[in-house]
Amino acid sequence: MIKTGRVILASFALLLFATGTVRAEQQAADRLADVLGGYSTFQAAFTQVVADEQGRVMQQTTGNLKAKRPGLFYWETDPPANQFIVSDGETVELYDPDLEQVTVQELDEQVSTTPALLLSGETEGLAETYEITEEHYGDSTREYTLLPRSEDSLFVSLTLTFYNGELQAMRLDDSLAQRTELEFGNIRINEPVPDGAFELDYPDSVDVIQGIQ
């Protein structure tokens, strides 16, 4: 009887722990959604560093991005690795000037979970898509770590760092044990951005590859 009672108490304690964990994840997701949902537009310059498992830098690029809800996104990396990524909420266009090629892809569920697109996409279903934890550093800095629930995700974990509600950095770990770190500067939040700023301009001679099913 005593042993049975201990088992019941242990099971009850585990249930409380699990319930508390789920509640904490939901609260973290709600707070992250509130912050990101408050961004009608986001513009910034960025520095991107990709490192291997040993921390050796494999690539470093700079560029600019713009995001506007709902669904508008523009990403440009500077030469010599010049590249453009643009989304209208339904399709994604990838333009590589060196290859003289544009690839058009449907914004399916997998592509829509690309980290940077969180700035222009829906945030209501974050808790369903990710396990989310939150850390506070002092009164001003918060970090949210997102672990995808889907095995088909493009990344293993993503950390977003905010300072006074302003997104300052992203850190992404992928399935190849590579880490990508993005740091943002010249940040402008909720400034007007015309829809025309999210259109690609490329020569007629460029090859267009339709990846839409």
Side-chain angles (χ1 to χ4, degrees):
M1 181 68 180
I2 294 176
K3 185 179 292 186
T4 302
R6 287 176 178 173
V7 171
I8 292 173
L9 286 173
S11 300
F12 183 65
L14 287 173
L15 177 61
L16 287 177
F17 175 77
T19 303
T21 300
V22 171
R23 185 180 299 115
E25 287 181 6
Q26 184 62 58
Q27 290 173 346
D30 290 344
R31 283 191 285 268
L32 178 57
D34 285 343
V35 175
L36 292 177
Y39 293 3
S40 59
T41 67
F42 181 90
Q43 302 175 79
F46 64 81
T47 298
Q48 177 177 264
V49 177
V50 181
D52 64 14
E53 190 173 6
Q54 285 72 42
R56 294 185 294 251
V57 174
M58 302 169 59
Q59 183 185 49
Q60 182 168 335
T61 55
T62 59
N64 294 276
L65 71 85
K66 306 181 186 76
K68 180 178 181 180
R69 296 186 189 280
L72 298 176
F73 182 79
Y74 181 97
W75 171 283
E76 176 183 357
T77 54
D78 299 326
N82 199 204
Q83 203 173 58
F84 301 82
I85 302 173
V86 177
S87 173
D88 62 2
E90 296 182 0
T91 61
V92 176
E93 293 180 295
L94 170 61
Y95 173 37
D96 191 318
D98 291 336
L99 297 178
E100 297 185 334
Q101 179 177 293
V102 175
T103 301
V104 183
Q105 184 175 354
E106 194 171 62
L107 192 66
D108 60 18
E109 184 175 347
Q110 184 181 42
V111 175
S112 66
T113 58
T114 300
L117 290 180
L118 287 171
L119 295 168
S120 62
E122 295 296 330
T123 58
E124 293 181 358
L126 284 176
E128 299 173 3
T129 308
Y130 307 101
E131 296 178 20
I132 302 176
T133 57
E134 178 183 13
E135 295 287 344
H136 293 204
Y137 300 96
D139 295 331
S140 303
T141 301
R142 290 189 178 187
E143 279 193 353
Y144 295 89
T145 299
L146 289 69
L147 304 179
R149 298 187 186 277
S150 171
E151 296 181 357
D152 297 328
S153 175
L154 299 175
F155 59 92
V156 174
S157 71
L158 170 68
T159 299
L160 308 177
T161 302
F162 294 85
Y163 181 77
N164 286 333
E166 189 174 87
L167 181 62
Q168 297 283 325
M170 287 185 174
R171 183 175 69 250
L172 178 148
D173 294 317
D174 65 24
S175 58
L176 300 177
Q178 294 179 353
R179 171 166 289 186
T180 300
E181 296 187 353
L182 279 166
E183 292 189 0
F184 301 114
N186 192 25
I187 299 167
R188 290 160 288 161
I189 297 173
N190 295 339
E191 290 187 4
V193 184
D195 289 354
F198 301 91
E199 297 176 359
L200 273 179
D201 185 18
Y202 47 83
D204 294 337
S205 59
V206 167
D207 291 330
V208 179
I209 300 173
Q210 296 287 345
I212 300 176
Q213 300 297 323

